[in-house]
Structure formats: C-alpha cells, structure tokens
Amino acid sequence: MDEQQRHTALVTGAGRGIGRAIALALAGAGFDVIVNDLPGSDDLAETVDLVRLQGRKAVALGLDVADLAAHDGFVDRAWSAFGGIDCLVNNAGVSVAKRDDILSVTPESFDRLISINLRGPFFLTQAVAKRMVAEPVDDLRTIITISSANVDFASVDRAEYCLSKAPLAMMSQLYAARLAAHGVNTYEVRPGVIRTNMTAIARERYDRAFAEGLAPIARWGEPEDIGQAVAMLASGALPYSTGETLRVDGGLAVRRL
C-alpha cells in the first residue's frame, strides 16, 4: 500500500472479538481506523490504544447500527475524522439471546436480529455509499460485510440468526452491481466457527465437532483469521473481483464423501 495516499477504514462492532481483530489487521496494513461499537462501550478505548500502538491513527465513535435515524450524523462524523472513508467493514451483529427450537422463535427475537444484523448494515452501507459516490477518489474503495457460515448451514436452535445473516450475501452482490462503476468493490467474508464470546456458550460442542472432523482444518477459527482476510481485500489484493464471497471457515463448506 502506498503510504503517500490516504487510507481510512470504518469498522463497526470493533470493541472486541472479530471487530477488534479486523481493526488491528487494517492498521497493520496501513489504514487509519474509525472504530465503532455501542455508545458507552468500555472496550473501544482499548481498541483505539492498540491501533495507535501500530503507529496508525484511531478514533472511536459510538452508534447502535439499528438506530437508522442516527446513521447520517454518524457517517458525517466518521467521514470528517480523517477526511473520508476508503473501506467500510460491516461487522457489528448479535446472536440470539437464547438458543431455542425454531418452533419457539418469538417475533421480538426475530425483529431484534433482523434490525441489528440486516437492516442496520444495509442502511449504513447505503449512507456510506452515497458519500463515496458523491466524493469520488482515484483509488479503489471497498465495502466488506461479515456474514456467517449460517448463510450455508441451518441451525434450527437459532433460526432468526440464520435468517438475519443469509441476506447479507445478496446485499453484498447488490451493492457490488451498483457501485463498481464508482470504483467501489464489495465483498462478503463468511466466517466459520470462530472463537469469540458469542460462540463461548457452545465451546464443548464445537470442541467435540472439530475432534470428530467437522472441518478439514481441524481447529477453531480465530478473530485474527478474519482480520487477515479483511485486510487483504481492503488493501486491493483483488481489484478485478467484486460481489465475491471469501469463506474463512477451515474448509467447513467443502462437500465431502
């Protein structure tokens, strides 16, 4: 990456876990980073410090991505922080409050997941994309959305999570078709089983599954695995690809006989 050029990334849900790992990987790739999490997050300050330790600038901005009315003001602040946004990473998301059978899913749980995991990223991407189109640059820009292996794999004990994540694959393709002419490539990164607070509840289950051959690469994925993938895409390693999915799942989706 040319250090003489401006490279700035906005990462949602960057307080910890995958989001923090993405922010640090982008910093390592030469990006200044705007890190986001819920307003009042106690974790963002540490992410900012870690980015700065890599010699890059960092700013923390609070936002609940489900709060659509706050998007325009948030994007204004993010855009102004370093004079633009070259990469948006849609990472913020939640899992179900309680794993339960699909026959027990409530409208309240369904609406919560759709609001945060799908509706929020769609409209935040729209707001950032409008600014990118209105203020073009010569360099490639990227929009990278973190989805889930549940785009491919049905989990009937968290059906609403699957339904909130699967449409992100199409969202990425739609924005790819719309934005390519404006020098913006979009990608979907599809993690497998990643070691985070979200998956800690199922640790023993996945430990057994990996031991029994769940994936060809027989280990948990780490947040840093996702961070490395995002940094590669954001750095322009695949300039003639857009709308593509990068699975970071240890081969989980490989069909085997």
Side-chain angles (χ1 to χ4, degrees):
M1 179 175 288
D2 186 348
E3 287 292 330
Q4 300 302 312
Q5 299 171 342
R6 169 179 54 79
H7 297 285
T8 299
L10 166 59
V11 183
T12 67
R16 59 186 180 183
I18 290 174
R20 177 179 286 177
I22 290 171
L24 295 180
L26 287 169
F31 284 81
D32 296 326
V33 190
I34 303 137
V35 294
N36 154 263
D37 214 309
L38 291 171
S41 168
D42 295 327
D43 300 308
L44 273 183
E46 184 176 352
T47 301
V48 167
D49 289 343
L50 290 169
V51 169
R52 291 174 177 170
L53 282 173
Q54 298 201 39
R56 307 307 305 184
K57 297 177 183 177
V59 169
L61 292 178
L63 173 77
D64 180 347
V65 296
D67 184 3
L68 304 191
H71 280 191
D72 286 343
F74 172 78
V75 172
D76 285 343
R77 294 193 302 276
W79 197 271
S80 299
F82 301 121
I85 296 172
D86 300 301
C87 173
L88 166 65
V89 183
N90 290 307
N91 169 72
V94 296
S95 188
V96 293
K98 178 184 178 183
R99 293 188 181 223
D100 205 349
D101 185 72
I102 188 174
L103 301 182
S104 300
V105 172
T106 65
E108 292 78 14
S109 180
F110 183 94
D111 290 347
R112 171 177 173 265
L113 271 291
I114 294 296
S115 178
I116 298 171
N117 292 356
L118 175 60
R119 193 166 178 260
F122 177 86
F123 285 104
L124 183 61
T125 299
Q126 183 188 77
V128 172
K130 286 179 179 179
R131 290 295 294 266
M132 288 180 169
V133 169
E135 300 183 33
V137 297
D138 292 333
D139 297 332
L140 177 70
R141 285 166 163 167
T142 56
I143 295 174
I144 301 168
T145 298
I146 310 303
S147 63
S148 167
N150 284 117
V151 173
D152 291 315
F153 295 90
S155 295
V156 296
D157 61 347
R158 49 184 182 143
E160 61 269 52
Y161 178 81
C162 299
L163 290 169
S164 71
K165 286 292 189 176
L168 294 176
M170 177 54 70
M171 183 187 95
S172 184
Q173 292 182 56
L174 288 165
Y175 278 114
R178 177 62 179 85
L179 298 175
H182 298 279
V184 182
N185 287 5
T186 80
Y187 307 97
E188 175 205 354
V189 172
R190 193 174 296 179
V193 182
I194 309 299
R195 195 191 311 273
T196 65
N197 288 350
M198 188 181 293
T199 54
I201 190 174
R203 184 187 62 187
E204 293 182 1
R205 169 188 168 188
Y206 285 124
D207 282 345
R208 289 194 301 271
F210 279 118
E212 294 168 359
L214 175 66
I217 300 177
R219 68 165 175 86
W220 283 79
E222 302 294 342
E224 291 74 18
D225 292 315
I226 309 303
Q228 290 172 13
V230 169
M232 177 195 71
L233 295 171
S235 298
L238 300 177
Y240 194 53
S241 297
T242 191
E244 293 297 327
T245 298
L246 177 59
R247 290 180 173 86
V248 186
D249 64 359
L252 180 66
V254 174
R255 296 187 177 186
R256 293 170 286 169
L257 292 175

